[in-house]
Amino acid sequence: MITRFAPSPTGALHLGHIYAAKVAHDIAKAHCGHFHLRIDDLDTTRCRPCFTDAIYNDLRWAGLNWHGTVSFQSERHTHYAKAISQLRDMDLLYPCYLTRRELASMTQAPHGTPHGAPDIASPIVPINTDRLIPDSEQKRRAADGQQAAWRLRMDAAIKHANAHIQTHSQLNWREYALSADAGLKQATPEIFGDVIIARKDLGSSYHLAVVIDDMLDNVSLVTRGVDLQSSTHLHRLLQALLGLPTPNYLHHPLVTDSCDKRLAKRDKAQSIAALRNRGMSADTMMSILPALPDYESVGI
């Protein structure tokens, strides 16, 4: 059993992070497995070494010690580039020169997302955005040095994945949900539309990087917040396209404040360092977290 905790060093850890780390840590420990720490520092414009050091300090103080060497996304660009090239060779990626504003204007994208779609900031992009402007305009923008985002042609990608597995039902994953929603889940990646796989500014997108990372780290059980469950639909497709192993998944509840709002860095949620500096002990901090899942009850 190999689990992982993968924080981004863009701010201080809060109680929600510690809860997520403890879920992964305790499951691995219960199975005499390994709890791996990965630093998701793909966005080098926002990540800071001081936050990485703070992550180490907070986890050690909480007694959540990881196994082996810490891995960093910033050291894996070669692996991401290889996967992007593979998808290009399969004719599943296309360049998109449109800005977000242009896309919203051309497609009259609605505010928010349709039912069942992933909870992301941007509206779901329709298919074949490269056909929204003439080839001559695309060539002009390329000649002017404008960078393109590379999008997955979703309809072709799903067809390709289904053609290389015996039945459509095999595009699925095992979910150890802490509710009646557990079991074998059917992937419906079309809810993402033609999602960006290679970003203009950072190279790989989060979605591509995370499936490559989990393969490189030999992760067998991905534990993460329920807010990321919808991403698994896309991750399962990418795993099928790239020939990657599919780990099992457990999406746990989020830690929320007194108003039932999830904790977040952007809301300046109270940091672990602040709690520690006020004299709170690690045991007291753990006692105010939600009760950990009954792992045996969900078959882990």
Side-chain angles (χ1 to χ4, degrees):
M1 175 74 73
I2 299 178
T3 63
R4 51 82 161 169
F5 176 54
S8 296
T10 57
L13 296 189
H14 53 62
L15 288 173
H17 295 115
I18 291 298
Y19 181 75
K22 186 167 177 57
V23 170
H25 173 274
D26 287 7
I27 290 178
K29 183 177 180 180
H31 289 269
C32 299
H34 294 159
F35 168 59
H36 181 68
L37 176 61
R38 182 177 76 235
I39 302 299
D40 281 6
D41 58 345
L42 189 66
D43 187 350
T44 55
T45 63
R46 298 174 58 229
C47 296
R48 300 289 183 271
C50 62
F51 292 132
T52 299
D53 293 338
I55 289 170
Y56 298 157
N57 293 335
D58 289 345
L59 291 177
R60 290 187 178 115
W61 176 72
L64 303 175
N65 297 309
W66 56 93
H67 179 272
T69 304
V70 178
S71 58
F72 293 82
Q73 285 186 330
S74 58
E75 298 175 354
R76 291 176 163 175
H77 289 293
T78 300
H79 295 280
Y80 307 147
K82 182 178 179 180
I84 292 169
S85 294
Q86 183 177 343
L87 293 173
R88 283 177 181 167
D89 291 343
M90 296 161 67
D91 199 25
L92 297 179
L93 297 185
Y94 65 87
C96 177
Y97 290 96
L98 294 172
T99 65
R100 290 184 179 183
R101 180 175 295 180
E102 286 176 322
L103 277 172
S105 175
M106 291 180 176
T107 63
Q108 295 183 341
H111 295 290
T113 56
H115 177 69
D119 180 18
I120 55 178
S122 301
I124 301 304
V125 173
I127 62 174
N128 305 323
T129 65
D130 57 331
R131 298 170 188 170
L132 295 177
I133 57 176
D135 289 343
S136 58
E137 176 61 15
Q138 294 189 61
K139 291 178 181 178
R140 184 194 68 78
R141 296 187 182 195
D144 288 345
Q146 181 175 329
Q147 290 183 306
W150 288 83
R151 294 187 179 275
L152 183 69
R153 202 177 296 281
M154 184 58 71
D155 52 357
I158 293 175
K159 289 180 182 178
H160 186 281
N162 290 335
H164 288 79
I165 55 179
Q166 293 181 358
T167 63
H168 181 70
S169 63
Q170 287 183 310
L171 194 61
N172 51 35
W173 77 89
R174 174 67 62 181
E175 176 70 44
Y176 289 105
L178 308 176
S179 67
D181 199 32
L184 205 61
K185 308 296 292 182
Q186 180 67 47
T188 55
E190 59 270 18
I191 63 176
F192 277 80
D194 283 6
V195 66
I196 291 176
I197 295 299
R199 293 176 54 177
K200 299 177 183 180
D201 51 349
L202 303 178
S204 174
S205 70
Y206 160 78
H207 296 296
L208 178 66
V210 74
V211 298
I212 300 296
D213 292 332
D214 288 338
M215 179 273 294
L216 293 174
D217 297 329
N218 297 310
V219 174
S220 58
L221 177 66
V222 173
T223 64
R224 57 192 182 190
V226 69
D227 58 322
L228 292 174
Q229 186 173 29
S230 61
S231 297
T232 315
H233 293 274
L234 176 58
H235 296 174
R236 181 64 191 92
L237 174 62
L238 292 174
Q239 289 158 357
L241 295 174
L242 296 170
L244 305 178
T246 303
N248 295 323
Y249 290 83
L250 184 149
H251 294 90
H252 57 73
L254 302 177
V255 177
T256 58
D257 60 18
S258 58
C259 298
D260 202 30
K261 181 180 179 181
R262 72 170 184 169
L263 304 182
K265 295 175 184 176
R266 62 179 176 271
D267 297 327
K268 297 183 180 180
Q270 198 168 45
S271 69
I272 301 305
L275 297 176
R276 185 169 65 248
N277 292 336
R278 289 213 315 264
M280 180 178 287
S281 69
D283 289 341
T284 299
M285 179 191 68
M286 290 299 187
S287 70
I288 64 178
L289 290 173
L292 288 176
D294 180 2
Y295 306 123
E296 292 185 2
S297 68
V298 294
I300 297 179

